[in-house]
Amino acid sequence: MRAKITYAVTAAVLVVYFVLVGSRGVMLIQTGTVVTVTFGVAVLILPVIGLWFLWKNTQFVGKANRLAAELDAEGGLPVDELRRTAGGRIDRDSADEVFAKRKAETEDAPDDWRSWFRLAIAYHDARDTPRARKAMQRAIALHEGRPPVEA
């Protein structure tokens, strides 16, 4: 729940920022000189790109959460078997061991979105966020019946 609140607050702050930047772009365009209109258009492009990125990221998070809920309903969410340090951080060797199991599971069932979902969690636990995201994108694509995008 804390992560959802943090995401919502961050998204709201970004939207406010995009509105402020967009208003500055409109003000530059209204000035009417060639230079300010050019800068104004350039400034307006930034919030558009930011809003698109925020929208795509929100869609990704929503789809991943729906997969997690479905997997939880099936009883298929991975059990947290990771050892932790005294400070609460995940032990690297433990994460590597779990990752090896999840990778083997995915190699045995490469078309099963569930194994890719669990592999994404293992990548995340091993602090490999880019690969975690790719594995989750593959799980989402397989769940939706779309061909997965190759990396």
Side-chain angles (χ1 to χ4, degrees):
M1 187 64 174
R2 188 169 130 184
K4 287 181 182 181
I5 292 170
T6 302
Y7 186 81
V9 169
T10 304
V13 168
L14 279 172
V15 168
V16 168
Y17 175 75
F18 295 149
V19 168
L20 290 173
V21 169
S23 69
R24 297 297 184 248
V26 170
M27 288 171 44
L28 284 168
I29 291 171
Q30 288 174 341
T31 303
T33 67
V34 174
V35 173
T36 59
V37 169
T38 304
F39 279 136
V41 170
V43 166
L44 282 176
I45 290 172
L46 295 174
V48 169
I49 293 170
L51 285 170
W52 174 83
F53 179 77
L54 182 61
W55 174 249
K56 295 305 278 183
N57 197 47
T58 302
Q59 282 182 319
F60 173 77
V61 169
K63 289 176 181 179
N65 284 338
R66 282 190 289 281
L67 289 186
E70 186 175 330
L71 202 55
D72 187 30
E74 296 174 357
L77 280 179
V79 177
D80 186 1
E81 53 192 306
L82 298 167
R83 293 183 305 276
R84 301 192 188 280
T85 65
R89 296 189 66 125
I90 294 172
D91 178 63
R92 183 73 174 184
D93 293 334
S94 176
D96 290 343
E97 290 170 16
V98 172
F99 174 78
K101 285 194 286 189
R102 299 292 178 239
K103 186 174 183 199
E105 174 187 315
T106 304
E107 288 170 351
D108 290 342
D111 295 329
D112 183 15
W113 68 267
R114 293 162 188 85
S115 63
W116 282 98
F117 184 93
R118 288 187 283 266
L119 181 63
I121 292 173
Y123 271 127
H124 181 266
D125 290 341
R127 297 187 193 111
D128 191 346
T129 305
R131 287 190 178 131
R133 189 169 183 89
K134 291 266 188 218
M136 187 60 73
Q137 288 170 338
R138 189 175 188 97
I140 291 168
L142 288 168
H143 183 264
E144 293 177 346
R146 292 184 290 114
V149 178
E150 295 299 322

